[in-house]
Structure formats: structure tokens, C-alpha cells
Amino acid sequence: MRGKTILIIDSNSENRAVLRFHLTRKGFEILEAADGQTAREMYLKHDPCFVLLETALPDMDGLEVCFWMRYELDSNVPIIIVSSNNSEQDRIEGLKRGADDYIGKPYNLEELSVRIETVLRRTANRCSKLSYKGLTIKPLKGIVKFQDEVLDLTHFEYRLLYLFMTHPDQLLSREQIINTIYKKNEKVINERTVDVHIKNLREKIAKYTDYPFIVTLRGIGYKFTTEG
């Protein structure tokens, strides 16, 4: 489930920090909101793959946010409520408002991770986009962004980046890249062509960030790195 974006909605900054640390280590990209209005704005702007929602928010009941996402926006985004309000009636009401799961505080972080992964497996078709350190690819729309900036990529640059982002932190040889990216009915491709396309892709990403996403392992191949 690496590369998926999770929106954490919780007014308590310490709670958000704990979740951010834990889920980042699991490979998720984290967005945060401390109140309902900010949560709505973040959701519309970033279209996250998952929502973790505390119901006790300073400006509105978190269940209103849940209902808004699920029924007013008609969104199928996975939502888990993580709340101090943990009576049977609270859980029933949360599920009626559209949550996929409801976890009472205090909770075990590993159990929470398992529940997130379980819901994501059930809803895998809902969010195919991947995001690492602000670089996001949306395969269904054919769009690549760094934060809010759209990258203008060629056909092959896009296919290269998609290959890299679906294999994060894995070594890919030039031969693997050629066999995956370039179809047999296209013109003959050599390793030098791959190097040129990767060089151009790097330059376009470097316009927006200094982070070295694509690293070269001399004489071996390339790796899309997310752990630096």
C-alpha cells in the first residue's frame, strides 16, 4: 500500500504526530487537518486515498465531515473513524454516516495499520494514484504533479515514471526497463536511449525539487528512491 495518501483529521497535534510518524514509516504519504473546514479544503484539493477521522473537532462534529464526504460528495473514499467517543451507539452512528470502520481510543497502532491495509485492499480500484515526497502520478488521468505543479512529460517519460513509482526502492536494470516500457513493435531501443529519457525525466522533476528520486547504480541500472 506504499505511496497512498492518508488525510488525518484530528484537532490534537500530538495525536497527529504519532499517527504521522507511524504511518510514514509504513510508506504512506500524510496530509493533516485540525478542524472540519480545513479537512474539507484538504480533501477537495488533494483527493486523498484514505481518511482517518476523529469526531471531536473544534468547529463541527466529525460525523458531519464523514457524511459530507460519503453522501454529499458521493465519494467512495475509505474512511476509518478513530474516536474517543466509543459507545455502541457512537459506533453505530459512525457507520450509518458512511464510515468503513470505527476504532475507539486508545488503540493499538499495529492494529490500526492492519485495518487500514484491509480496507485499502477492499477498495483498491478507488485510488490508483501514487505519491512520494510530493511527487504524484494519477494513472487514470495520465497526470503527474509535484505538489500543485503539473509536469509536462513525454509518452515515454510518463511510462518510465509509472514503472519507477510502482516499484519504489527496487533496482531496475536497463534490460528490465526496455522489456517493460518499449513494446516490440516500436523502433529499436538501446540502453543509451533509456539513459536519455531518464536524464530528461530527472531534469523535469529537478525544476520543482532537489530530492534525487531516480538514482543511478553504475553498471547495474536505476532505482526510484523514497527512503532518503
Side-chain angles (χ1 to χ4, degrees):
M1 301 303 174
R2 296 185 61 198
K4 298 299 184 183
T5 51
I6 295 182
L7 173 59
I8 300 171
I9 307 170
D10 194 318
S11 61
N12 188 304
S13 59
E14 293 183 4
N15 290 343
R16 296 199 310 274
V18 169
L19 288 169
R20 182 195 322 121
F21 178 77
H22 178 73
L23 294 173
T24 298
R25 293 180 65 189
K26 297 291 185 180
F28 293 102
E29 292 285 305
I30 304 302
L31 305 168
E32 298 180 40
D35 57 69
Q37 182 57 38
T38 303
R40 292 185 180 199
E41 294 169 359
M42 294 286 286
Y43 183 82
L44 292 174
K45 181 177 181 181
H46 296 286
D47 186 27
C49 292
F50 204 97
V51 174
L52 284 179
L53 172 63
E54 164 64 68
T55 55
L57 300 176
D59 56 343
M60 66 180 71
D61 189 330
L63 292 179
E64 295 180 32
V65 178
C66 185
F67 185 88
W68 173 78
M69 290 178 179
R70 180 67 74 234
Y71 297 110
E72 294 186 29
L73 291 185
D74 194 26
S75 170
N76 58 0
V77 64
I79 302 170
I80 291 183
I81 291 177
V82 182
S83 179
S84 301
N85 301 327
N86 194 30
S87 69
E88 181 178 7
Q89 186 56 45
D90 288 325
R91 294 195 300 272
I92 291 172
E93 188 61 27
L95 295 173
K96 286 172 64 176
R97 293 292 188 101
D100 294 275
D101 201 352
Y102 196 112
I103 303 175
K105 294 180 179 180
Y107 53 84
N108 180 282
L109 285 170
E110 287 301 325
E111 179 187 357
L112 176 63
S113 297
V114 171
R115 292 201 187 202
I116 290 172
E117 290 171 1
T118 299
V119 173
L120 277 172
R121 280 195 296 271
R122 289 203 313 263
T123 59
N125 293 333
R126 187 267 158 192
C127 189
S128 61
K129 76 173 185 176
L130 296 169
S131 185
Y132 293 101
K133 299 183 182 298
L135 183 64
T136 300
I137 189 165
K138 297 183 177 182
L140 294 180
K141 296 183 178 179
I143 294 174
V144 176
K145 288 186 174 184
F146 184 79
Q147 296 179 355
D148 293 331
E149 299 292 333
V150 176
L151 277 66
D152 183 16
L153 304 184
T154 67
H155 175 66
F156 286 122
E157 290 164 2
Y158 177 89
R159 288 167 64 178
L160 275 168
L161 184 60
Y162 180 76
L163 175 64
F164 281 130
M165 292 185 74
T166 52
H167 297 80
D169 301 304
Q170 296 181 32
L171 170 64
L172 296 174
S173 68
R174 289 177 176 84
E175 183 179 359
Q176 286 176 306
I177 293 171
I178 290 172
N179 291 338
T180 303
I181 296 298
Y182 305 100
K183 298 178 182 178
K184 293 181 179 179
N185 60 352
E186 292 166 349
K187 64 181 183 180
V188 176
I189 298 295
N190 58 35
E191 294 185 356
R192 175 57 182 160
T193 306
V194 174
D195 293 341
V196 170
H197 284 153
I198 290 177
K199 174 179 177 291
N200 293 338
L201 176 59
R202 279 174 168 157
E203 290 177 350
K204 290 181 179 181
I205 295 174
K207 292 179 181 179
Y208 303 100
T209 176
D210 294 330
Y211 184 80
F213 281 105
I214 304 170
V215 298
T216 303
L217 286 77
R218 291 194 179 278
I220 303 175
Y222 295 96
K223 181 169 70 171
F224 183 86
T225 178
T226 68
E227 299 176 347

